[in-house]
Amino acid sequence: MSGFKDFVQSDLSTFFNSSEFATSHAINGKEILCVIDESLIHERRLQSRAEAVDGVFSKEIILYVKTVDIECEPLRGEEFRLDGSLFFVEEVGHIGGVLEITLVANES
């Protein structure tokens, strides 16, 4: 008998499908199907009390990737390359076989 977690795992192929939600990106040099969310991070940013420094702003994105597709779970503060751009890991969460990785890059 299959449980809820089994159904969630089988449904991941729907979300991580290049014809549906996912797109292929170079993550630390490896092409992986993932989902990038820049709108949710915008909402979180509006609720935060981050202070700006003149001439510097941060680019933030949330990256969703299947846990099995990433070789090693990233750690907070670690360097992370996405499509050749350097980011730093701000936060990592686990959601039913998916890693939710918040990435930050300082830009001027």
Side-chain angles (χ1 to χ4, degrees):
M1 176 180 242
S2 295
F4 177 73
K5 289 182 180 181
D6 297 321
F7 290 118
V8 169
Q9 289 300 311
S10 67
D11 285 344
L12 288 180
S13 61
T14 301
F15 295 101
F16 291 96
N17 177 332
S18 61
S19 298
E20 298 293 335
F21 300 105
T23 52
S24 182
H25 292 274
I27 296 176
N28 294 327
K30 180 181 174 186
E31 286 293 319
I32 297 176
L33 280 176
C34 58
V35 176
I36 295 177
D37 187 345
E38 295 184 61
S39 59
L40 179 60
I41 198 70
H42 178 69
E43 286 181 33
R44 288 182 184 175
R45 203 176 313 137
L46 290 175
Q47 295 172 359
S48 74
R49 40 191 169 94
E51 295 180 21
V53 176
D54 287 339
V56 178
F57 66 95
S58 63
K59 177 179 182 178
E60 299 174 318
I61 63 170
I62 297 176
L63 175 73
Y64 296 93
V65 62
K66 288 192 289 186
T67 306
V68 297
D69 288 346
I70 219 158
E71 293 175 8
C72 182
E73 181 180 323
L75 302 173
R76 181 178 167 88
E78 186 175 271
E79 289 185 2
F80 193 97
R81 292 222 174 251
L82 177 64
D83 295 329
S85 296
L86 178 64
F87 289 86
F88 291 93
V89 177
E90 172 109 342
E91 189 175 349
V92 178
H94 297 265
I95 307 168
V98 175
L99 289 177
E100 179 187 283
I101 306 168
T102 304
L103 300 173
V104 177
N106 291 326
E107 299 180 345
S108 58

